[in-house]
Amino acid sequence: MADAKGTRAGGNDPGADLERRVGRLEFAEGALSRLRVPLRIAAERGRDILTDLDVLAIDIDGRLRSSLSVLECKTTKGQAGEPDRLLWLSGLQRLTRTRRAVLVRQTVTRRGRIIAQALDLQIMDMETLAAREASHAWVPARFAHIHGAGCEQAERRTETQLKGLSHIPAGLVGFLRADSLLADSSECLNALVALNSATAQGIVPNPTALVLAGHALITLLLAAIRDASRLDVVPAADLRERVSRSVTIGDPDNSQILSVLSQADELVQHQVRRIHDAYRAVGAIQQEIAVTSLKAIVAEPPAWLDHYIDLVTRLRANPAIARDLVQTAELACFDALCGDTAYAEPAFDHLFTPEHRYLLIASAKVLREITGDQLADAIGEIGNMNFRRAAPAVPDRAAIQTDRSIPSLAREARPTE
């Protein structure tokens, strides 16, 4: 992610500043938002990144159904390029299968609004953006991946450290950072299993361990929330079978492979019986030898599966809290544990309640089972944060918060050499 490398976070880049403002607004209105998200496609090496999504937002509703929004930010003035950018954005929306696509630019013409309406797009000018920002003035200007200083430092240092950690595939890191936001739950879980195998091959230093663990936790939460929404149409037992197939044979919706393996087991047993019959026919004594089932080897569910399904069930039972968890995890991992203090501002009080702590700790325990102790230990202090907060009854959201000298939760996992 480009903002993770700090290449666009400078105060002299109006494009980066506009992306930050839009991402902050999306987060303030309840979405997990990320900036400069690479859009990857299946292509030859070096050409797999098609473009960057200026702002990608994930909204989760009261039934835990997630929807994606892509927001394109342009600082150019006047009418030049407006129709072309709208047509391009329409194609991008279809490619990413996002429900909502928004073009944010300095000015919007009448022609642009007509084209946007015809293409089922949204368009926003600076005046509208400023008016919406005024309603969320109490939200910090920078936090976590919205150009938070601690997060950017940790991500930059992680980029450097990963060059010397050849046992951690770059593609896997890219998936956790960006692709998981667009991926299905089965892809997310398979990535976490692969992360366990990769990190088990060597020590992962901080802040890389913290950064990978933070992205892994959000990946797990997105997978679990997406699976929780499926409980409205499938029972938990069927969902368990689906998840089991996704992590064993790689395809949650295809049981044909298991049927083929069952037939292969029957064929092997038939051949074994024929051999035994032939030996007995010449007077040999039969030796009982257990033949391992191919289906059992391939389809054996992981040890963490039942705990994952239990987490999914808990999330569905408390959607009012579960819908916030990705935002809570974002602030906990990439603001608090990175040494920043924006997470403690009153604007985020509603994300740090005892119920949020309960579900977040439960998620961290499942993550430990899937990815191992090394990464889970990197975010082990999540439970020590202040989760005894509650949103004020009548907050003044239009008031800019002043620095209250909030103590930092910095620790050893803070970016180090």
Side-chain angles (χ1 to χ4, degrees):
M1 299 172 67
D3 63 303
K5 300 177 183 178
T7 58
R8 299 180 59 86
N12 296 325
D13 186 342
D17 187 61
L18 178 57
E19 292 162 6
R20 177 192 59 79
R21 291 173 60 189
V22 172
R24 169 185 173 273
L25 179 61
E26 290 292 309
F27 196 98
E29 295 186 344
L32 173 69
S33 55
R34 291 284 177 81
L35 313 180
R36 308 301 296 178
V37 177
L39 178 60
R40 291 182 176 84
I41 59 174
E44 56 270 23
R45 189 178 184 86
R47 300 179 63 87
D48 56 333
I49 297 181
L50 179 63
T51 186
D52 283 340
L53 307 178
D54 290 350
V55 180
L56 179 66
I58 303 177
D59 288 280
I60 301 171
D61 68 13
R63 290 185 174 87
L64 301 187
R65 295 169 299 190
S66 59
S67 60
L68 299 173
S69 300
V70 58
L71 299 97
E72 180 75 3
C73 303
K74 294 299 174 187
T75 56
T76 54
K77 299 180 180 180
Q79 302 184 28
E82 184 183 46
D84 291 341
R85 185 50 52 178
L86 286 168
L87 293 170
W88 181 87
L89 183 58
S90 179
L92 184 64
Q93 181 184 25
R94 292 185 60 186
L95 180 63
T96 56
R97 297 187 296 276
T98 52
R99 187 190 69 176
R100 169 173 164 259
V102 184
L103 176 63
V104 183
R105 65 193 318 267
Q106 291 289 330
T107 57
V108 176
T109 66
R110 183 172 180 272
R111 179 179 66 172
R113 295 191 185 280
I114 292 174
I115 296 174
Q117 184 176 9
L119 296 174
D120 196 24
L121 303 175
Q122 298 179 24
I123 193 166
M124 184 191 307
D125 58 16
M126 291 299 100
E127 182 179 355
T128 304
L129 175 63
R132 289 178 59 186
E133 286 179 308
S135 300
H136 300 285
W138 71 333
V139 176
R142 300 171 184 270
F143 54 88
H145 282 98
I146 309 301
H147 289 179
C151 177
E152 291 192 338
Q153 182 184 359
E155 291 278 13
R156 281 197 304 270
R157 182 57 184 153
T158 295
E159 285 293 325
T160 301
Q161 290 182 341
L162 284 172
K163 295 176 182 178
L165 301 174
S166 58
H167 59 285
I168 303 179
L172 177 58
V173 176
F175 180 92
L176 295 173
R177 279 176 163 168
D179 300 351
S180 61
L181 305 175
L182 297 163
D184 185 72
S185 59
S186 61
E187 296 177 275
C188 292
L189 291 175
N190 283 323
L192 295 178
V193 173
L195 182 63
N196 185 5
S197 301
T199 55
Q201 299 180 36
I203 299 297
V204 181
N206 279 318
T208 298
L210 169 60
V211 169
L212 290 181
H215 285 296
L217 179 60
I218 291 176
T219 298
L220 173 64
L221 284 171
L222 290 173
I225 289 171
R226 288 160 183 164
D227 279 336
S229 68
R230 292 189 171 99
L231 290 178
D232 290 344
V233 293
V234 299
D238 290 351
L239 178 62
R240 184 184 186 281
E241 289 298 319
R242 185 180 191 276
V243 174
S244 179
R245 287 195 298 267
S246 70
V247 297
T248 53
I249 63 177
D251 190 344
D253 301 313
N254 185 2
S255 60
Q256 186 62 31
I257 295 178
L258 297 181
S259 298
V260 172
L261 290 175
S262 294
Q263 295 174 12
D265 284 337
E266 293 175 3
L267 177 61
V268 171
Q269 292 294 339
H270 173 69
Q271 293 297 333
V272 169
R273 285 195 298 269
R274 288 186 58 188
I275 293 173
H276 283 314
D277 291 343
Y279 273 105
R280 282 198 303 268
V282 296
I285 299 176
Q286 180 174 335
Q287 299 293 325
E288 296 297 336
I289 300 177
V291 180
T292 304
S293 167
L294 297 175
K295 180 180 178 180
I297 294 175
V298 173
E300 182 179 2
W304 49 263
L305 178 58
D306 289 333
H307 290 162
Y308 173 77
I309 296 299
D310 180 62
L311 172 64
V312 169
T313 304
R314 293 189 204 182
L315 294 177
R316 187 62 189 91
N318 195 353
I321 300 299
R323 66 188 298 183
D324 296 336
L325 276 186
V326 287
Q327 285 191 313
T328 303
E330 172 77 3
L331 291 170
C333 295
F334 295 106
D335 195 89
L337 292 182
C338 287
D340 284 337
T341 59
Y343 77 100
E345 290 291 338
F348 299 135
D349 281 350
H350 67 289
L351 298 174
F352 289 86
T353 70
E355 288 183 292
H356 287 88
R357 181 184 184 277
Y358 167 72
L359 288 179
L360 197 62
I361 293 301
S363 303
K365 289 181 179 178
V366 175
L367 182 68
R368 180 180 294 274
E369 293 188 54
I370 300 176
T371 63
D373 293 338
Q374 184 172 195
L375 292 186
D377 288 343
I379 55 173
E381 286 192 13
I382 281 184
N384 297 331
M385 297 178 189
N386 178 17
F387 279 89
R388 298 182 180 279
R389 298 158 60 182
V394 186
D396 185 2
R397 296 183 176 87
I400 299 176
Q401 298 298 306
T402 58
D403 183 6
R404 298 179 296 143
S405 300
I406 305 169
S408 171
L409 192 69
R411 64 185 192 88
E412 292 182 1
R414 191 175 180 176
T416 57
E417 291 299 323

